[in-house]
Structure formats: C-alpha cells, structure tokens
Amino acid sequence: MQKENEKGLVIVYTGDGKGKTTAALGLCIRAAGYDKRVCIIQFIKGSWKYGELDGIKKLAPNVELYQKGLGFIGIIDDKLDKSEHIKAAGETLGFAKEKMHSGKYDIVILDEINVAIHLNLISVEDVISIIDNKPESLDLVLTGRNAKDEIIERADLVTEMREIKHPFQKGIKAKKGIDF
Ligand code: ATP
Ligand code: MG
C-alpha cells in the first residue's frame, strides 16, 4: 500500500491496569481495515503461548507478529541467567530497528518494550534513539507498564491504564482468550 505522506505518531500504552497489549492489538484490526501493514514485535514474552499468535494470522498478510525474548524474567519458571535475557532483548531491539526501516510497514508495535527497559535489559537511551530516528511517516507504538519519563516526553499519545478492579485480586486465574 502507498504510504500516506503524513507524520507518524509515537503512541505509548502504559500503567498497571489491564489492556495495554489488548489496545495495541485492537489498533491492528482498525489499521488492517485500511489495508495498512503492521508489524508487532513482542519483547519478553518468549515461548509462551498467547492467543494473539494465532489470532493475528487471521489478519495476514497485513499484520505480522514476532515473538522474541525468552519468557518471564526472574519469576515463575525462569532458569536463565539475566545476561541471556539481556542478549535476547538487545537482538530484539536490533530486529525492531530493521523492521522499522524496511519501508514495509505503516505501524510498528513494540509490545512490552517498557518492561524490557524497566528491567535494564535494554537502555532507555537506545530506545530514545530509535524513536528520534524513526521514519517520518511510521506510527510507532510502545507498550508495557513503567514507561520512562523520557519516553513519555517524546510520545504524541500516552494512555495510562489504571487498575480499578482485576479478577486476580479475587484469586481468579488468567483466562484463555481474555488474558492470554
Ligand atoms: P493484556 O495483554 O491483557 O492487554 P496488559 O498488556 O495491559 O494486559 P501486562 O502488564 O502486559 O498487561 O500483563 C500481562 C498479563 O498480566 C495479562 O495476562 C494480564 O491479564 C495480566 N494483568 C494485567 N494487568 C493486571 C493486573 N492489574 N493484575 C493482575 N494481572 C494483570
Ligand atoms: Mg502487555
């Protein structure tokens, strides 16, 4: 599809309430409706099974999803050394840069990148440089709790999901198709 000659936005979904990744995935549906091309790159999530992995295939070839990273860090079943997570996150950032500059996409979504910065897997300076050097017309979406102030400053649109209630508080476990 021919790229529209308008300035792309930097969009941030952050906060501790549920809905950040869901909002980014919703954006894919809308964009696909105009035949836009979207690339989603998931940091952190690794080999975990998420509904969006198969769900997004239904929007192919408009939307592509790449699950990078090595899974949760320092919790649950993580047996890896932090250096391995750092290496994986660095490679994912390089991959993201390539995709952003490939000219193939209208929108690039870096899912959970704020978490990768927060855990010191990648530096905020590197991410700022990626934002500052992004192709003019590309819309760039960054998700994940604990977004850094420097990222928020550079963004055009920032939404903070705030938890009011979450079933987890009542001991209700994560639900297939809702949470993953
Ligand atoms: P989702 O992927 O459902 O849009 P999210 O991207 O906003 O959620 P993350 O911080 O990426 O949230 O967390 C991922 C997982 O943690 C999801 O399974 C989500 O349901 C769950 N989760 C999100 N917010 C909360 C919360 N406030 N309390 C407990 N679990 C949560
Ligand atoms: Mg998320």
Side-chain angles (χ1 to χ4, degrees):
M1 149 165 185
Q2 184 111 55
K3 283 208 167 170
E4 284 166 31
N5 219 1
E6 53 188 44
K7 202 172 173 306
L9 297 174
V10 176
I11 299 173
V12 173
Y13 297 129
T14 191
D16 61 6
K18 177 175 161 60
K20 301 172 289 291
T21 298
T22 312
L25 293 171
L27 203 139
C28 293
I29 295 175
R30 180 170 286 165
Y34 291 103
D35 224 22
K36 285 181 184 274
R37 294 290 306 256
V38 187
C39 181
I40 310 166
I41 300 162
Q42 294 189 322
F43 285 70
I44 316 280
K45 284 180 170 168
S47 56
W48 286 59
K49 172 80 187 140
Y50 287 90
E52 60 258 36
L53 277 175
D54 288 328
I56 223 73
K57 288 181 187 153
K58 301 184 181 181
L59 296 178
N62 290 85
V63 188
E64 294 169 16
L65 188 152
Y66 298 91
Q67 193 185 43
K68 301 279 181 177
L70 301 171
F72 289 109
I73 292 134
I75 50 163
I76 314 181
D77 60 353
D78 183 15
K79 295 182 185 71
L80 298 169
D81 196 76
K82 191 165 178 189
S83 66
E84 296 179 76
H85 288 293
I86 290 173
K87 186 165 172 276
E91 285 167 6
T92 306
L93 199 61
F95 179 79
K97 228 188 286 184
E98 270 173 41
K99 289 293 192 188
M100 285 172 64
H101 291 274
S102 67
K104 268 181 72 181
Y105 308 101
D106 301 290
I107 304 174
V108 169
I109 296 171
L110 305 178
D111 189 34
E112 312 301 350
I113 191 167
N114 293 325
V115 179
I117 300 167
H118 182 69
L119 295 173
N120 294 314
L121 301 182
I122 51 177
S123 73
V124 69
E125 289 80 15
D126 285 350
V127 178
I128 285 168
S129 144
I130 279 187
I131 295 172
D132 290 347
N133 295 303
K134 81 167 183 63
E136 182 87 357
S137 64
L138 183 82
D139 294 305
L140 181 65
V141 182
L142 304 105
T143 89
R145 51 187 70 202
N146 300 119
K148 295 276 185 211
D149 292 342
E150 299 96 308
I151 305 259
I152 288 172
E153 267 165 37
R154 274 165 180 80
D156 302 294
L157 189 165
V158 181
T159 300
E160 179 179 10
M161 274 65 181
R162 181 167 64 88
E163 182 189 296
I164 293 178
K165 271 187 175 186
H166 193 288
F168 182 73
Q169 298 164 336
K170 285 197 283 191
I172 298 173
K173 292 214 177 86
K175 276 188 80 175
K176 193 192 276 186
I178 301 283
D179 291 300
F180 63 90

